[in-house]
């Protein structure tokens, strides 16, 4: 059930064009989907954990991208 709820929340949040990356809307829809299944407190904990995890993943991917860009611009890789 979580996968379906998370997928729907992500999809709906991408359709909200006035919110960058659907921020806030993804959390609302994820909470609304999880609340009847696992309760208020657990739904809030899951929503916060998912936001933190997604932010950490984005930071790691940004860092990897920066390393790749710097590596490709170094004199050793100049063509």
């Amino acid at each position: 059930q979580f996968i379906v709820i998370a997928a729907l929340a992500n999809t709906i949040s991408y359709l909200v064009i006035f919110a960058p990356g659907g921020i806030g809307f993804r959390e609302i829809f994820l909470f609304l989907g999880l609340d009847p299944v696992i309760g208020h407190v657990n739904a809030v904990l899951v929503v916060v954990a998912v936001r933190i995890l997604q932010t950490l993943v984005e930071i790691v991917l940004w860092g990897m991208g920066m390393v790749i860009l710097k590596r490709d611009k170094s004199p050793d890789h100049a063509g």
Side-chain angles (χ1 to χ4, degrees), residues 8-75:
L8 285 172
N10 281 325
T11 302
I12 293 170
S13 69
Y14 290 134
L15 298 175
V16 180
I17 59 173
F18 54 85
I23 192 162
F25 287 90
R26 176 181 14 226
E27 288 78 13
I28 290 168
F29 289 110
L30 187 57
F31 175 79
L32 291 175
L34 291 175
D35 183 41
V37 179
I38 61 176
H40 294 314
V41 174
N42 289 331
V44 168
L45 291 174
V46 169
V47 168
V48 170
V50 166
R51 172 48 68 188
I52 291 170
L53 183 63
Q54 287 176 335
T55 302
L56 291 174
V57 166
E58 289 176 3
I59 291 169
V60 168
L61 291 175
W62 170 82
M64 291 170 59
M66 294 304 291
V67 168
I68 291 169
L69 283 175
K70 287 181 181 179
R71 187 190 66 191
D72 288 345
K73 289 182 181 180
S74 69

